[in-house]
Amino acid sequence: MEDATADSRLFLIGSAASQAMSPGLWNPLLEQLGSSWTYEAWDVPAEQAMTRVRGRLLDRDVVAANVTMPHKQWAAGTADSSTDAVQLSGACNLLVRQGRRLHGHNTDITAAAVLLGNRYQRHALLLGAGGAARAALIALDRNVGKVSITDRDPNASGDLLHLALDLGIDAQAVTWQQAQDLASEASLIVNATPIGKGISDGPAWGDGPVAADALVYDFVYAGHVTASIAKAREAGATCVDGWDHLREQAVAMVPLLGLDGAADSLLAESLDGLKSRH
Protein backbone atom coordinates (compact mmCIF):
# COMPACT_ATOMS: atom_id res chain seq x y z
CA MET A 1 0.00 0.00 0.00
CA GLU A 2 1.51 3.32 -1.04
CA ASP A 3 3.08 5.36 1.77
CA ALA A 4 2.23 2.71 4.39
CA THR A 5 4.65 2.78 7.30
CA ALA A 6 5.57 0.24 9.97
CA ASP A 7 2.93 1.61 12.32
CA SER A 8 0.16 1.88 9.74
CA ARG A 9 -3.37 2.14 11.06
CA LEU A 10 -6.81 1.01 10.10
CA PHE A 11 -9.72 2.77 11.76
CA LEU A 12 -13.38 2.09 12.45
CA ILE A 13 -15.27 5.37 12.55
CA GLY A 14 -18.72 5.59 14.10
CA SER A 15 -20.70 7.09 16.95
CA ALA A 16 -20.28 3.86 18.95
CA ALA A 17 -17.19 2.42 17.27
CA SER A 18 -15.61 1.41 20.59
CA GLN A 19 -18.53 -0.96 21.18
CA ALA A 20 -18.02 -2.75 17.86
CA MET A 21 -16.29 -6.10 17.49
CA SER A 22 -14.37 -5.30 14.32
CA PRO A 23 -11.06 -4.57 16.13
CA GLY A 24 -11.37 -7.95 17.85
CA LEU A 25 -11.76 -9.57 14.43
CA TRP A 26 -9.03 -7.73 12.56
CA ASN A 27 -6.19 -7.36 15.06
CA PRO A 28 -5.67 -11.12 15.63
CA LEU A 29 -5.83 -11.62 11.86
CA LEU A 30 -3.24 -8.92 11.18
CA GLU A 31 -0.99 -10.40 13.86
CA GLN A 32 -1.22 -13.86 12.28
CA LEU A 33 -0.33 -12.38 8.91
CA GLY A 34 2.78 -10.85 10.46
CA SER A 35 1.54 -7.37 9.65
CA SER A 36 2.47 -4.30 11.69
CA TRP A 37 -0.91 -2.73 10.95
CA THR A 38 -3.32 -2.08 13.78
CA TYR A 39 -7.10 -1.72 13.69
CA GLU A 40 -8.47 0.92 16.04
CA ALA A 41 -11.95 2.09 17.02
CA TRP A 42 -12.55 5.84 16.79
CA ASP A 43 -15.75 7.17 18.34
CA VAL A 44 -17.02 10.08 16.26
CA PRO A 45 -20.35 11.50 17.54
CA ALA A 46 -23.07 12.29 15.05
CA GLU A 47 -22.85 16.01 15.74
CA GLN A 48 -19.06 16.28 15.38
CA ALA A 49 -17.60 18.38 12.59
CA MET A 50 -15.96 15.98 10.16
CA THR A 51 -13.20 18.19 8.76
CA ARG A 52 -10.71 16.95 11.35
CA VAL A 53 -11.71 13.34 10.71
CA ARG A 54 -11.04 13.65 7.00
CA GLY A 55 -7.72 15.35 7.67
CA ARG A 56 -6.62 12.53 9.96
CA LEU A 57 -7.49 9.91 7.36
CA LEU A 58 -5.08 11.58 4.92
CA ASP A 59 -2.10 11.17 7.26
CA ARG A 60 0.68 8.91 5.98
CA ASP A 61 0.22 6.28 8.69
CA VAL A 62 -3.41 5.59 7.71
CA VAL A 63 -4.21 2.72 5.38
CA ALA A 64 -8.00 2.84 5.41
CA ALA A 65 -11.05 3.36 7.57
CA ASN A 66 -14.26 1.44 7.92
CA VAL A 67 -17.22 3.72 8.46
CA THR A 68 -20.35 2.83 10.38
CA MET A 69 -23.46 4.62 11.70
CA PRO A 70 -24.15 7.47 11.32
CA HIS A 71 -21.35 8.49 8.96
CA LYS A 72 -21.77 6.28 5.87
CA GLN A 73 -23.39 9.02 3.84
CA TRP A 74 -20.75 11.51 4.95
CA ALA A 75 -18.09 9.03 3.79
CA ALA A 76 -19.72 8.77 0.37
CA GLY A 77 -19.65 12.55 0.06
CA THR A 78 -16.09 13.03 1.29
CA ALA A 79 -14.55 10.38 -0.97
CA ASP A 80 -12.50 11.87 -3.81
CA SER A 81 -13.42 8.90 -5.98
CA SER A 82 -15.67 5.92 -5.40
CA THR A 83 -17.11 2.76 -6.86
CA ASP A 84 -20.36 2.64 -8.78
CA ALA A 85 -21.96 0.95 -5.76
CA VAL A 86 -21.12 3.92 -3.54
CA GLN A 87 -22.37 6.42 -6.09
CA LEU A 88 -25.58 4.48 -6.56
CA SER A 89 -26.30 3.96 -2.88
CA GLY A 90 -25.01 7.26 -1.52
CA ALA A 91 -23.37 5.26 1.29
CA CYS A 92 -19.76 4.23 1.86
CA ASN A 93 -18.37 1.98 4.59
CA LEU A 94 -14.71 1.82 3.55
CA LEU A 95 -12.40 4.71 2.69
CA VAL A 96 -8.99 3.64 1.38
CA ARG A 97 -6.24 6.27 1.35
CA GLN A 98 -4.42 6.67 -1.93
CA GLY A 99 -1.81 9.34 -1.37
CA ARG A 100 -3.76 12.51 -0.59
CA ARG A 101 -7.04 11.09 -1.85
CA LEU A 102 -9.69 8.83 -0.37
CA HIS A 103 -11.35 6.15 -2.48
CA GLY A 104 -14.75 4.93 -1.33
CA HIS A 105 -16.10 1.36 -1.35
CA ASN A 106 -19.27 -0.26 -0.09
CA THR A 107 -18.49 -3.78 1.10
CA ASP A 108 -21.91 -3.88 2.80
CA ILE A 109 -23.42 -4.24 -0.67
CA THR A 110 -20.94 -6.94 -1.63
CA ALA A 111 -21.67 -8.89 1.55
CA ALA A 112 -25.44 -8.52 1.26
CA ALA A 113 -25.38 -9.66 -2.37
CA VAL A 114 -23.47 -12.81 -1.38
CA LEU A 115 -25.78 -13.60 1.53
CA LEU A 116 -29.02 -12.83 -0.28
CA GLY A 117 -27.96 -14.85 -3.31
CA ASN A 118 -30.23 -14.77 -6.32
CA ARG A 119 -33.37 -15.65 -4.40
CA TYR A 120 -36.40 -13.74 -5.66
CA GLN A 121 -38.24 -11.82 -2.94
CA ARG A 122 -41.95 -11.25 -3.40
CA HIS A 123 -42.00 -8.56 -0.68
CA ALA A 124 -39.00 -7.10 1.13
CA LEU A 125 -39.55 -5.19 4.38
CA LEU A 126 -36.72 -2.81 5.28
CA LEU A 127 -36.66 -1.77 8.94
CA GLY A 128 -34.40 1.24 9.02
CA ALA A 129 -33.36 3.45 6.12
CA GLY A 130 -29.68 4.15 6.70
CA GLY A 131 -26.57 2.80 5.00
CA ALA A 132 -27.26 -0.87 5.81
CA ALA A 133 -30.78 -0.67 4.38
CA ARG A 134 -29.40 1.00 1.25
CA ALA A 135 -26.94 -1.86 0.86
CA ALA A 136 -29.70 -4.45 1.12
CA LEU A 137 -31.88 -2.58 -1.37
CA ILE A 138 -29.15 -2.42 -3.99
CA ALA A 139 -28.03 -6.01 -3.35
CA LEU A 140 -31.54 -7.15 -4.26
CA ASP A 141 -30.73 -5.90 -7.77
CA ARG A 142 -34.39 -5.62 -8.76
CA ASN A 143 -34.85 -9.29 -7.84
CA VAL A 144 -37.86 -8.27 -5.80
CA GLY A 145 -41.57 -7.74 -6.36
CA LYS A 146 -42.25 -5.03 -3.80
CA VAL A 147 -40.33 -3.17 -1.10
CA SER A 148 -41.78 -1.55 2.02
CA ILE A 149 -39.54 0.91 3.86
CA THR A 150 -39.81 2.32 7.35
CA ASP A 151 -37.67 4.32 9.72
CA ARG A 152 -38.25 6.29 12.90
CA ASP A 153 -37.22 9.30 10.81
CA PRO A 154 -39.76 9.83 7.99
CA ASN A 155 -37.21 11.88 6.06
CA ALA A 156 -34.83 8.91 5.98
CA SER A 157 -37.65 6.66 4.75
CA GLY A 158 -38.45 9.19 2.04
CA ASP A 159 -34.84 9.36 0.86
CA LEU A 160 -34.59 5.58 0.58
CA LEU A 161 -37.95 5.43 -1.17
CA HIS A 162 -36.69 7.85 -3.81
CA LEU A 163 -33.65 5.64 -4.35
CA ALA A 164 -35.84 2.56 -4.75
CA LEU A 165 -38.08 4.32 -7.25
CA ASP A 166 -35.06 5.59 -9.17
CA LEU A 167 -33.93 1.96 -9.43
CA GLY A 168 -37.27 1.03 -10.95
CA ILE A 169 -38.44 -0.90 -7.87
CA ASP A 170 -42.08 -0.98 -6.78
CA ALA A 171 -41.70 0.54 -3.32
CA GLN A 172 -43.61 2.33 -0.60
CA ALA A 173 -42.75 4.13 2.62
CA VAL A 174 -44.81 2.99 5.61
CA THR A 175 -45.08 3.91 9.27
CA TRP A 176 -43.39 1.81 11.92
CA GLN A 177 -46.75 0.35 12.97
CA GLN A 178 -47.65 -0.49 9.39
CA ALA A 179 -44.30 -2.23 8.98
CA GLN A 180 -44.99 -4.41 12.01
CA ASP A 181 -48.31 -5.40 10.48
CA LEU A 182 -46.61 -6.25 7.16
CA ALA A 183 -43.95 -8.49 8.71
CA SER A 184 -46.11 -11.62 8.57
CA GLU A 185 -46.44 -11.42 4.78
CA ALA A 186 -42.90 -10.38 3.85
CA SER A 187 -40.57 -12.90 2.23
CA LEU A 188 -37.56 -10.82 3.33
CA ILE A 189 -37.27 -8.85 6.56
CA VAL A 190 -34.14 -6.72 6.94
CA ASN A 191 -33.32 -5.30 10.35
CA ALA A 192 -31.08 -2.34 9.57
CA THR A 193 -31.62 -0.73 12.98
CA PRO A 194 -29.74 -1.13 16.28
CA ILE A 195 -32.70 -3.09 17.72
CA GLY A 196 -31.26 -6.29 19.11
CA LYS A 197 -28.01 -4.93 20.51
CA GLY A 198 -29.62 -4.91 23.94
CA ILE A 199 -30.18 -8.37 25.35
CA SER A 200 -33.69 -7.34 26.45
CA ASP A 201 -34.67 -6.03 22.99
CA GLY A 202 -37.57 -7.79 21.30
CA PRO A 203 -37.77 -8.66 17.59
CA ALA A 204 -37.24 -5.62 15.39
CA TRP A 205 -40.74 -6.00 13.90
CA GLY A 206 -42.48 -6.45 17.25
CA ASP A 207 -44.35 -9.47 18.55
CA GLY A 208 -46.05 -10.51 15.31
CA PRO A 209 -45.26 -13.69 13.36
CA VAL A 210 -43.06 -14.12 10.31
CA ALA A 211 -43.71 -16.37 7.32
CA ALA A 212 -42.07 -19.79 7.46
CA ASP A 213 -40.57 -19.22 4.00
CA ALA A 214 -39.14 -15.82 4.94
CA LEU A 215 -35.51 -14.80 5.05
CA VAL A 216 -34.67 -12.66 8.08
CA TYR A 217 -31.50 -10.59 7.61
CA ASP A 218 -30.42 -9.01 10.89
CA PHE A 219 -27.46 -6.65 10.58
CA VAL A 220 -26.99 -6.63 14.35
CA TYR A 221 -24.21 -8.77 15.78
CA ALA A 222 -23.89 -9.22 19.51
CA GLY A 223 -22.72 -11.61 22.19
CA HIS A 224 -26.23 -13.06 22.32
CA VAL A 225 -28.70 -14.37 19.78
CA THR A 226 -30.90 -11.41 18.92
CA ALA A 227 -34.63 -11.74 19.46
CA SER A 228 -35.17 -11.20 15.72
CA ILE A 229 -33.04 -14.24 14.87
CA ALA A 230 -34.53 -16.32 17.69
CA LYS A 231 -38.08 -15.53 16.54
CA ALA A 232 -37.21 -16.32 12.94
CA ARG A 233 -35.67 -19.65 13.87
CA GLU A 234 -38.77 -20.59 15.86
CA ALA A 235 -40.84 -19.96 12.73
CA GLY A 236 -38.53 -22.10 10.59
CA ALA A 237 -37.41 -19.08 8.58
CA THR A 238 -33.98 -18.79 6.97
CA CYS A 239 -31.66 -16.50 8.94
CA VAL A 240 -28.68 -14.30 8.18
CA ASP A 241 -27.26 -12.62 11.26
CA GLY A 242 -24.80 -9.84 11.88
CA TRP A 243 -21.92 -12.29 12.28
CA ASP A 244 -22.56 -13.63 8.78
CA HIS A 245 -22.56 -10.09 7.44
CA LEU A 246 -19.40 -9.16 9.36
CA ARG A 247 -17.62 -12.18 7.86
CA GLU A 248 -18.58 -11.48 4.25
CA GLN A 249 -17.87 -7.78 4.60
CA ALA A 250 -14.38 -8.61 5.90
CA VAL A 251 -13.78 -11.10 3.08
CA ALA A 252 -14.67 -8.35 0.60
CA MET A 253 -12.12 -6.04 2.22
CA VAL A 254 -9.16 -8.41 1.87
CA PRO A 255 -8.31 -7.64 -1.79
CA LEU A 256 -9.14 -3.96 -1.39
CA LEU A 257 -6.49 -3.68 1.33
CA GLY A 258 -3.97 -5.73 -0.65
CA LEU A 259 -3.75 -8.39 2.05
CA ASP A 260 -2.37 -11.87 1.52
CA GLY A 261 -4.84 -14.42 0.18
CA ALA A 262 -4.34 -16.47 3.35
CA ALA A 263 -6.39 -13.81 5.13
CA ASP A 264 -9.62 -15.42 3.93
CA SER A 265 -9.09 -18.62 5.93
CA LEU A 266 -7.61 -16.74 8.88
CA LEU A 267 -10.71 -14.56 8.97
CA ALA A 268 -12.84 -17.60 9.74
CA GLU A 269 -10.54 -18.55 12.60
CA SER A 270 -10.50 -15.02 13.98
CA LEU A 271 -14.29 -14.78 13.77
CA ASP A 272 -14.74 -18.09 15.58
CA GLY A 273 -12.41 -16.89 18.32
CA LEU A 274 -14.27 -13.61 18.63
CA LYS A 275 -17.64 -15.31 18.87
CA SER A 276 -16.37 -17.69 21.55
CA ARG A 277 -15.35 -14.73 23.70
CA HIS A 278 -18.81 -13.14 23.57
Side-chain angles (χ1 to χ4, degrees), residues 22 24-30 32-33 243 246-255 257 259-275:
S22 296
L25 172 66
W26 281 100
N27 282 319
L29 167 68
L30 293 169
Q32 285 184 282
L33 287 174
W243 294 101
L246 181 63
R247 179 191 67 245
E248 293 300 333
Q249 183 215 51
V251 167
M253 283 176 58
V254 168
L257 297 178
L259 293 174
D260 190 284
D264 283 351
S265 60
L266 292 175
L267 270 170
E269 295 177 18
S270 184
L271 187 62
D272 287 342
L274 182 61
K275 291 173 72 174

Side-chain angles (χ1 to χ4, degrees), residues 66-134:
N66 278 130
V67 183
T68 189
M69 294 191 302
H71 302 304
K72 291 182 182 182
Q73 287 170 281
W74 164 80
T78 203
D80 298 293
S81 59
S82 58
T83 63
D84 290 344
V86 170
Q87 294 174 33
L88 183 61
S89 66
C92 167
N93 74 326
L94 176 64
L95 290 168
V96 178
R97 187 181 66 81
Q98 299 175 338
R100 294 293 298 172
R101 295 171 59 84
L102 297 173
H103 187 70
H105 300 268
N106 192 316
T107 59
D108 279 331
I109 294 175
T110 307
V114 169
L115 293 166
L116 287 172
N118 294 317
R119 177 178 172 180
Y120 177 79
Q121 302 296 340
R122 65 177 184 276
H123 184 184
L125 177 62
L126 303 184
L127 304 173
R134 285 171 176 260

Side-chain angles (χ1 to χ4, degrees), residues 12-18 42-50 53 66-78 90-93 95 108 129-132 134 151 153 156 192-194 197:
L12 172 66
I13 296 170
S15 60
S18 58
W42 183 2
D43 286 335
V44 178
E47 65 277 7
Q48 179 170 320
M50 301 299 287
V53 175
N66 278 130
V67 183
T68 189
M69 294 191 302
H71 302 304
K72 291 182 182 182
Q73 287 170 281
W74 164 80
T78 203
C92 167
N93 74 326
L95 290 168
D108 279 331
R134 285 171 176 260
D151 194 277
D153 178 1
T193 77
K197 285 186 176 294

